[in-house]
């Protein structure tokens, strides 16, 4: 028994370290540094980008809570792109790309996820044609709150909407007045009330000066 306790004491720093490693856990889905997407005769080149994610990058954008440190990247076709994804927050964030060719990327997706703070790197080979891919964090409400970007290949085929600091929302956030029977009634009531008040004040004023 004593020997066991002694061994456990010796092992405790190792166990603590192992626990710490589990704190910062990360996940990569559909990494692809080798398979050429259809239409790419060879890997055109290698490129690495560093993407930071967290609350602190939302500061410049009104209404945003989370953001990446950059909202748009433009990469040549058939490039092997390595993404170094750094999560600065103490919660989970993702770098998720959509719309990739499904033959090479199941469900057209590529994802790096980090429960932060921490970082993870992974590579993918980009397709050959001019297209804009959606990049976002799929954790509930993170996209709506600003964690949205675009990855353009060969200049892209468009700009996505609602990119913090870059593009306008697809649907403007307006609050039009809807006229219903009850809203018209309330408006008339308010007008009548206002008229009554003015009449009452005039009556009071006149009765005061006539005294
Ligand atoms: Cu997130």
């Amino acid at each position: 028994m004593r020997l066991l306790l002694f061994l456990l004491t010796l092992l405790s720093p190792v166990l603590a370290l192992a626990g710490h490693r589990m704190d910062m856990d990360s996940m990569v889905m559909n990494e692809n540094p080798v398979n050429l997407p259809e239409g790419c005769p060879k890997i055109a080149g290698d490129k690495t980008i560093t993407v930071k994610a967290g609350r602190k990058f939302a500061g410049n954008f009104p209404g945003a809570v989370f953001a990446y440190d950059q909202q748009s990247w433009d990469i040549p076709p058939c490039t092997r792109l390595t993404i170094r994804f750094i999560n600065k927050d103490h919660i989970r964030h993702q770098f998720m790309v959509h719309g990739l060719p499904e033959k090479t990327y199941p469900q057209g997706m590529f994802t790096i996820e980090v429960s932060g703070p921490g970082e993870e790197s992974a590579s993918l080979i980009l397709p050959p044609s001019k297209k804009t891919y959606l990049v976002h964090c799929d954790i509930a409400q993170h996209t709506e709150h600003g964690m949205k970007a675009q990855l353009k290949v060969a200049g892209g085929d468009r700009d996505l909407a609602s990119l913090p600091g870059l593009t306008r929302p697809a649907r403007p956030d307006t609050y039009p007045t809807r006229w219903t029977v009850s809203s018209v009634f309330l408006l008339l009531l308010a007008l009548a009330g206002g008229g009554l008040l003015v009449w009452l004040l005039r009556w009071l004023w006149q009765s005061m000066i006539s005294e």
Side-chain angles (χ1 to χ4, degrees), residues 5-92:
L5 277 175
F6 177 63
L7 279 175
L8 273 177
T9 315
L10 274 184
L11 274 174
S12 62
V14 180
L15 291 173
L17 267 179
H20 184 76
R21 177 68 190 86
M22 280 166 71
D23 270 358
M24 191 228 83
D25 77 292
S26 62
M27 186 271 286
V28 174
M29 214 175 72
N30 301 345
E31 170 160 38
N32 171 35
V34 182
N35 296 323
L36 290 167
E38 207 166 46
C40 285
K42 63 182 176 80
I43 293 173
D46 277 287
K47 190 173 167 56
T48 301
I49 57 171
T50 301
V51 181
K52 294 176 189 164
R55 286 174 189 273
K56 63 188 265 189
F57 305 109
N60 300 330
F61 311 125
V65 180
F66 307 110
Y68 300 118
D69 65 332
Q70 205 177 320
Q71 280 65 42
S72 190
W73 301 271
D74 193 355
I75 313 287
C78 303
T79 297
R80 178 163 49 203
L81 180 66
T82 300
I83 293 135
R84 185 177 164 222
F85 184 54
I86 304 174
N87 179 357
K88 296 279 191 187
D89 286 345
H90 286 261
I91 54 168
R92 203 149 49 106

Side-chain angles (χ1 to χ4, degrees), residues 92-94 137 139 142 147:
R92 203 149 49 106
H93 285 308
Q94 299 166 330
C137 175
I139 309 294
H142 286 202
M147 210 162 255

Side-chain angles (χ1 to χ4, degrees), residues 116-135:
E119 68 170 271
E120 182 64 87
S121 296
S123 308
L124 78 162
I125 302 172
L126 295 173
S129 27
K130 197 176 169 69
K131 197 179 162 184
T132 304
Y133 296 91
L134 164 68
V135 176

